[in-house]
Amino acid sequence: MKMDFWKNIDWNALMKAAVEALKSIGRGDFLIRMRVDKLFPYILYTVFIGIVSIWLSYMAEKTMYRVEVNQDKIESLKYAHANKTCEIIGLSRISTVEKMLEESGSELRIPEEPAYTIEK
């Protein structure tokens, strides 16, 4: 049964069709012979959608990269903020202020008696 199928094929016609298809590909009119020109608007639409998809993916990747870079900056700034806060808190101590005044040669000192209020 299968042998009969292969015997009924017209191999000459099949070869002529293949050669003709290769010739039309070489001439550049293969797609026109297949009537793809009717589908040209759909092909353009598909290409446009593909380009938009690629562009949106690129923009999303670019945004994600910027987010990662900014998160790294925020982490480093958190450490810098913690260090500055620690320095400022250290500078607000009376002993540190007195030491800084002595180093700069100022005659100001910590008061030895508490401040008093003037009554009316």
Side-chain angles (χ1 to χ4, degrees):
M1 181 104 165
K2 286 189 177 185
M3 294 304 250
D4 292 336
F5 173 75
W6 293 108
K7 286 182 182 178
N8 292 334
I9 294 177
D10 186 8
W11 291 103
N12 287 334
L14 189 63
M15 284 303 291
K16 281 183 181 179
V19 168
E20 195 62 35
L22 288 174
K23 283 182 183 178
S24 72
I25 288 173
R27 286 190 306 260
D29 62 350
F30 181 71
L31 294 177
I32 292 174
R33 280 184 160 200
M34 293 181 60
R35 302 297 299 162
V36 176
D37 55 340
K38 289 182 180 179
L39 303 174
F40 190 68
Y42 301 108
I43 293 170
L44 281 180
Y45 178 72
T46 305
V47 168
F48 175 72
I49 295 296
I51 289 171
V52 168
S53 174
I54 291 169
W55 181 71
L56 288 175
S57 297
Y58 171 73
M59 295 305 287
E61 286 292 324
K62 185 177 173 182
T63 302
M64 290 305 295
Y65 175 74
R66 284 192 349 226
V67 165
E68 288 177 9
V69 167
N70 288 339
Q71 283 178 343
D72 291 342
K73 286 180 184 177
I74 287 173
E75 279 297 315
S76 66
L77 289 175
K78 281 182 183 178
Y79 294 131
H81 177 262
N83 287 337
K84 289 294 179 185
T85 304
C86 189
E87 285 179 25
I88 290 172
I89 289 174
L91 291 176
S92 66
R93 294 184 181 156
I94 293 177
S95 60
T96 308
V97 172
E98 184 178 22
K99 191 183 293 183
M100 288 172 59
L101 288 172
E102 285 177 6
E103 288 174 0
S104 66
S106 176
E107 296 179 12
L108 293 174
R109 301 282 175 243
I110 295 175
E112 295 174 4
E113 18 181 278
Y116 60 93
T117 57
I118 299 174
E119 297 179 12
K120 293 186 181 182

mmCIF file of all heavy atoms in Angstrom, residues 4 9 11-12 17 21-22 25 30 36 45 47 50 52 55 67 69-70 72 76-77 92 98 109-110 117 120:
data_model
loop_
_atom_site.group_PDB
_atom_site.id
_atom_site.type_symbol
_atom_site.label_atom_id
_atom_site.label_comp_id
_atom_site.label_asym_id
_atom_site.label_seq_id
_atom_site.Cartn_x
_atom_site.Cartn_y
_atom_site.Cartn_z
ATOM 1 N N ASP A 4 2.657 1.929 -3.312
ATOM 2 C CA ASP A 4 1.832 2.491 -4.368
ATOM 3 C C ASP A 4 1.780 4.009 -4.277
ATOM 4 O O ASP A 4 1.709 4.690 -5.297
ATOM 5 C CB ASP A 4 0.402 1.931 -4.288
ATOM 6 C CG ASP A 4 0.368 0.446 -4.623
ATOM 7 O OD1 ASP A 4 1.280 -0.022 -5.329
ATOM 8 O OD2 ASP A 4 -0.563 -0.229 -4.159
ATOM 9 N N ILE A 9 3.576 9.406 -7.444
ATOM 10 C CA ILE A 9 4.052 10.787 -7.411
ATOM 11 C C ILE A 9 4.747 11.100 -8.730
ATOM 12 O O ILE A 9 5.579 10.333 -9.232
ATOM 13 C CB ILE A 9 5.024 11.006 -6.239
ATOM 14 C CG1 ILE A 9 4.288 10.860 -4.912
ATOM 15 C CG2 ILE A 9 5.682 12.376 -6.326
ATOM 16 C CD1 ILE A 9 5.166 10.980 -3.702
ATOM 17 N N TRP A 11 7.452 12.800 -10.120
ATOM 18 C CA TRP A 11 8.700 13.374 -9.640
ATOM 19 C C TRP A 11 9.198 14.487 -10.562
ATOM 20 O O TRP A 11 9.821 15.438 -10.101
ATOM 21 C CB TRP A 11 9.752 12.283 -9.492
ATOM 22 C CG TRP A 11 9.431 11.340 -8.370
ATOM 23 C CD1 TRP A 11 8.928 10.091 -8.485
ATOM 24 C CD2 TRP A 11 9.555 11.614 -6.976
ATOM 25 N NE1 TRP A 11 8.725 9.529 -7.236
ATOM 26 C CE2 TRP A 11 9.109 10.465 -6.288
ATOM 27 C CE3 TRP A 11 9.983 12.702 -6.228
ATOM 28 C CZ2 TRP A 11 9.084 10.374 -4.906
ATOM 29 C CZ3 TRP A 11 9.966 12.598 -4.856
ATOM 30 C CH2 TRP A 11 9.514 11.450 -4.195
ATOM 31 N N ASN A 12 8.933 14.413 -11.827
ATOM 32 C CA ASN A 12 9.358 15.456 -12.762
ATOM 33 C C ASN A 12 8.628 16.773 -12.471
ATOM 34 O O ASN A 12 9.246 17.839 -12.471
ATOM 35 C CB ASN A 12 9.107 15.024 -14.213
ATOM 36 C CG ASN A 12 10.090 13.969 -14.658
ATOM 37 O OD1 ASN A 12 11.191 13.901 -14.124
ATOM 38 N ND2 ASN A 12 9.696 13.148 -15.616
ATOM 39 N N ALA A 17 8.610 22.216 -10.103
ATOM 40 C CA ALA A 17 8.048 23.172 -9.148
ATOM 41 C C ALA A 17 9.132 23.683 -8.198
ATOM 42 O O ALA A 17 9.192 24.880 -7.885
ATOM 43 C CB ALA A 17 6.907 22.531 -8.372
ATOM 44 N N ALA A 21 10.424 27.477 -7.977
ATOM 45 C CA ALA A 21 10.388 28.202 -6.699
ATOM 46 C C ALA A 21 11.750 28.824 -6.409
ATOM 47 O O ALA A 21 11.838 29.983 -5.971
ATOM 48 C CB ALA A 21 9.974 27.275 -5.569
ATOM 49 N N LEU A 22 12.832 28.087 -6.643
ATOM 50 C CA LEU A 22 14.171 28.623 -6.419
ATOM 51 C C LEU A 22 14.466 29.783 -7.362
ATOM 52 O O LEU A 22 15.084 30.776 -6.956
ATOM 53 C CB LEU A 22 15.212 27.525 -6.578
ATOM 54 C CG LEU A 22 15.249 26.485 -5.460
ATOM 55 C CD1 LEU A 22 16.224 25.362 -5.812
ATOM 56 C CD2 LEU A 22 15.640 27.125 -4.144
ATOM 57 N N ILE A 25 12.632 32.827 -6.112
ATOM 58 C CA ILE A 25 13.318 33.378 -4.936
ATOM 59 C C ILE A 25 14.503 34.212 -5.399
ATOM 60 O O ILE A 25 14.746 35.310 -4.902
ATOM 61 C CB ILE A 25 13.758 32.258 -3.977
ATOM 62 C CG1 ILE A 25 12.542 31.656 -3.275
ATOM 63 C CG2 ILE A 25 14.743 32.779 -2.931
ATOM 64 C CD1 ILE A 25 12.861 30.436 -2.439
ATOM 65 N N PHE A 30 9.104 35.782 -5.298
ATOM 66 C CA PHE A 30 8.518 34.606 -4.648
ATOM 67 C C PHE A 30 7.328 34.998 -3.762
ATOM 68 O O PHE A 30 6.282 34.360 -3.800
ATOM 69 C CB PHE A 30 9.582 33.885 -3.824
ATOM 70 C CG PHE A 30 9.084 32.653 -3.133
ATOM 71 C CD1 PHE A 30 8.781 31.518 -3.858
ATOM 72 C CD2 PHE A 30 8.919 32.634 -1.754
ATOM 73 C CE1 PHE A 30 8.315 30.380 -3.221
ATOM 74 C CE2 PHE A 30 8.459 31.506 -1.115
ATOM 75 C CZ PHE A 30 8.162 30.367 -1.845
ATOM 76 N N VAL A 36 1.512 37.433 -0.990
ATOM 77 C CA VAL A 36 1.751 37.992 0.336
ATOM 78 C C VAL A 36 1.471 39.486 0.335
ATOM 79 O O VAL A 36 1.275 40.090 1.390
ATOM 80 C CB VAL A 36 3.195 37.678 0.793
ATOM 81 C CG1 VAL A 36 3.527 38.309 2.126
ATOM 82 C CG2 VAL A 36 3.399 36.178 0.875
ATOM 83 N N TYR A 45 1.927 45.896 10.626
ATOM 84 C CA TYR A 45 1.373 46.021 11.971
ATOM 85 C C TYR A 45 2.139 45.122 12.941
ATOM 86 O O TYR A 45 2.484 45.539 14.057
ATOM 87 C CB TYR A 45 -0.115 45.659 11.951
ATOM 88 C CG TYR A 45 -0.775 45.718 13.300
ATOM 89 C CD1 TYR A 45 -1.040 46.930 13.920
ATOM 90 C CD2 TYR A 45 -1.134 44.553 13.975
ATOM 91 C CE1 TYR A 45 -1.639 46.992 15.156
ATOM 92 C CE2 TYR A 45 -1.732 44.596 15.208
ATOM 93 C CZ TYR A 45 -1.986 45.813 15.798
ATOM 94 O OH TYR A 45 -2.570 45.852 17.022
ATOM 95 N N VAL A 47 5.240 44.000 12.638
ATOM 96 C CA VAL A 47 6.579 44.550 12.821
ATOM 97 C C VAL A 47 6.518 45.749 13.771
ATOM 98 O O VAL A 47 7.367 45.887 14.661
ATOM 99 C CB VAL A 47 7.197 44.945 11.463
ATOM 100 C CG1 VAL A 47 8.449 45.782 11.642
ATOM 101 C CG2 VAL A 47 7.499 43.702 10.642
ATOM 102 N N GLY A 50 6.110 44.536 17.277
ATOM 103 C CA GLY A 50 7.376 43.959 17.742
ATOM 104 C C GLY A 50 8.366 45.030 18.146
ATOM 105 O O GLY A 50 9.042 44.921 19.175
ATOM 106 N N VAL A 52 7.686 48.111 19.116
ATOM 107 C CA VAL A 52 7.185 48.746 20.344
ATOM 108 C C VAL A 52 7.476 47.858 21.548
ATOM 109 O O VAL A 52 7.884 48.345 22.611
ATOM 110 C CB VAL A 52 5.676 49.061 20.225
ATOM 111 C CG1 VAL A 52 5.085 49.438 21.562
ATOM 112 C CG2 VAL A 52 5.452 50.175 19.222
ATOM 113 N N TRP A 55 11.144 48.118 22.378
ATOM 114 C CA TRP A 55 11.436 49.428 22.963
ATOM 115 C C TRP A 55 10.962 49.499 24.414
ATOM 116 O O TRP A 55 11.677 50.008 25.289
ATOM 117 C CB TRP A 55 10.775 50.515 22.120
ATOM 118 C CG TRP A 55 11.046 51.895 22.625
ATOM 119 C CD1 TRP A 55 12.222 52.579 22.573
ATOM 120 C CD2 TRP A 55 10.124 52.753 23.294
ATOM 121 N NE1 TRP A 55 12.083 53.817 23.160
ATOM 122 C CE2 TRP A 55 10.799 53.951 23.609
ATOM 123 C CE3 TRP A 55 8.784 52.623 23.641
ATOM 124 C CZ2 TRP A 55 10.181 54.995 24.258
ATOM 125 C CZ3 TRP A 55 8.175 53.679 24.295
ATOM 126 C CH2 TRP A 55 8.871 54.840 24.593
ATOM 127 N N VAL A 67 17.076 52.195 39.085
ATOM 128 C CA VAL A 67 16.592 51.918 40.444
ATOM 129 C C VAL A 67 17.685 51.235 41.257
ATOM 130 O O VAL A 67 17.923 51.596 42.421
ATOM 131 C CB VAL A 67 15.313 51.048 40.384
ATOM 132 C CG1 VAL A 67 14.992 50.446 41.730
ATOM 133 C CG2 VAL A 67 14.138 51.861 39.884
ATOM 134 N N VAL A 69 20.956 51.383 40.784
ATOM 135 C CA VAL A 69 22.032 52.349 41.046
ATOM 136 C C VAL A 69 21.606 53.301 42.166
ATOM 137 O O VAL A 69 22.394 53.593 43.080
ATOM 138 C CB VAL A 69 22.383 53.125 39.761
ATOM 139 C CG1 VAL A 69 23.250 54.325 40.060
ATOM 140 C CG2 VAL A 69 23.062 52.209 38.758
ATOM 141 N N ASN A 70 20.368 53.775 42.125
ATOM 142 C CA ASN A 70 19.890 54.704 43.163
ATOM 143 C C ASN A 70 19.786 54.022 44.517
ATOM 144 O O ASN A 70 20.027 54.660 45.548
ATOM 145 C CB ASN A 70 18.553 55.311 42.749
ATOM 146 C CG ASN A 70 18.714 56.318 41.629
ATOM 147 O OD1 ASN A 70 19.793 56.848 41.421
ATOM 148 N ND2 ASN A 70 17.643 56.568 40.904
ATOM 149 N N ASP A 72 21.776 51.674 45.581
ATOM 150 C CA ASP A 72 23.156 51.627 46.087
ATOM 151 C C ASP A 72 23.568 52.992 46.651
ATOM 152 O O ASP A 72 24.205 53.069 47.700
ATOM 153 C CB ASP A 72 24.121 51.221 44.968
ATOM 154 C CG ASP A 72 23.934 49.770 44.552
ATOM 155 O OD1 ASP A 72 23.327 48.994 45.316
ATOM 156 O OD2 ASP A 72 24.408 49.420 43.448
ATOM 157 N N SER A 76 24.658 53.931 50.617
ATOM 158 C CA SER A 76 25.878 54.635 51.032
ATOM 159 C C SER A 76 25.534 55.937 51.756
ATOM 160 O O SER A 76 26.227 56.329 52.699
ATOM 161 C CB SER A 76 26.777 54.898 49.826
ATOM 162 O OG SER A 76 26.169 55.794 48.936
ATOM 163 N N LEU A 77 24.479 56.613 51.333
ATOM 164 C CA LEU A 77 24.081 57.852 52.002
ATOM 165 C C LEU A 77 23.518 57.589 53.393
ATOM 166 O O LEU A 77 23.656 58.428 54.286
ATOM 167 C CB LEU A 77 23.071 58.615 51.145
ATOM 168 C CG LEU A 77 23.646 59.242 49.872
ATOM 169 C CD1 LEU A 77 22.522 59.870 49.047
ATOM 170 C CD2 LEU A 77 24.706 60.271 50.200
ATOM 171 N N SER A 92 27.704 68.006 70.520
ATOM 172 C CA SER A 92 26.780 68.728 71.385
ATOM 173 C C SER A 92 27.054 68.482 72.871
ATOM 174 O O SER A 92 26.420 69.097 73.715
ATOM 175 C CB SER A 92 25.335 68.331 71.053
ATOM 176 O OG SER A 92 25.123 66.970 71.383
ATOM 177 N N GLU A 98 33.826 72.285 75.377
ATOM 178 C CA GLU A 98 34.879 72.912 76.178
ATOM 179 C C GLU A 98 36.254 72.601 75.594
ATOM 180 O O GLU A 98 37.117 73.472 75.498
ATOM 181 C CB GLU A 98 34.798 72.426 77.625
ATOM 182 C CG GLU A 98 35.791 73.113 78.536
ATOM 183 C CD GLU A 98 35.656 72.645 79.967
ATOM 184 O OE1 GLU A 98 35.124 71.546 80.200
ATOM 185 O OE2 GLU A 98 36.113 73.390 80.850
ATOM 186 N N ARG A 109 34.545 79.443 79.298
ATOM 187 C CA ARG A 109 34.591 78.208 80.081
ATOM 188 C C ARG A 109 33.169 77.804 80.459
ATOM 189 O O ARG A 109 32.225 78.588 80.351
ATOM 190 C CB ARG A 109 35.391 78.404 81.367
ATOM 191 C CG ARG A 109 36.803 78.835 81.164
ATOM 192 C CD ARG A 109 37.666 77.625 80.754
ATOM 193 N NE ARG A 109 39.018 78.106 80.453
ATOM 194 C CZ ARG A 109 39.590 78.026 79.281
ATOM 195 N NH1 ARG A 109 38.956 77.474 78.278
ATOM 196 N NH2 ARG A 109 40.789 78.474 79.078
ATOM 197 N N ILE A 110 33.062 76.585 80.949
ATOM 198 C CA ILE A 110 31.762 76.114 81.436
ATOM 199 C C ILE A 110 31.478 76.864 82.737
ATOM 200 O O ILE A 110 32.362 76.993 83.588
ATOM 201 C CB ILE A 110 31.802 74.596 81.695
ATOM 202 C CG1 ILE A 110 32.011 73.857 80.376
ATOM 203 C CG2 ILE A 110 30.526 74.121 82.366
ATOM 204 C CD1 ILE A 110 32.183 72.369 80.530
ATOM 205 N N THR A 117 17.608 83.067 87.220
ATOM 206 C CA THR A 117 16.625 83.834 86.455
ATOM 207 C C THR A 117 16.344 85.140 87.178
ATOM 208 O O THR A 117 16.379 85.217 88.411
ATOM 209 C CB THR A 117 15.306 83.041 86.314
ATOM 210 O OG1 THR A 117 14.833 82.735 87.609
ATOM 211 C CG2 THR A 117 15.514 81.777 85.528
ATOM 212 N N LYS A 120 10.790 89.540 88.212
ATOM 213 C CA LYS A 120 10.220 90.858 88.004
ATOM 214 C C LYS A 120 9.867 91.520 89.283
ATOM 215 O O LYS A 120 9.480 91.109 90.246
ATOM 216 C CB LYS A 120 8.966 90.760 87.117
ATOM 217 C CG LYS A 120 9.306 90.350 85.736
ATOM 218 C CD LYS A 120 8.054 90.410 84.904
ATOM 219 C CE LYS A 120 8.304 89.989 83.496
ATOM 220 N NZ LYS A 120 7.182 90.062 82.659
#
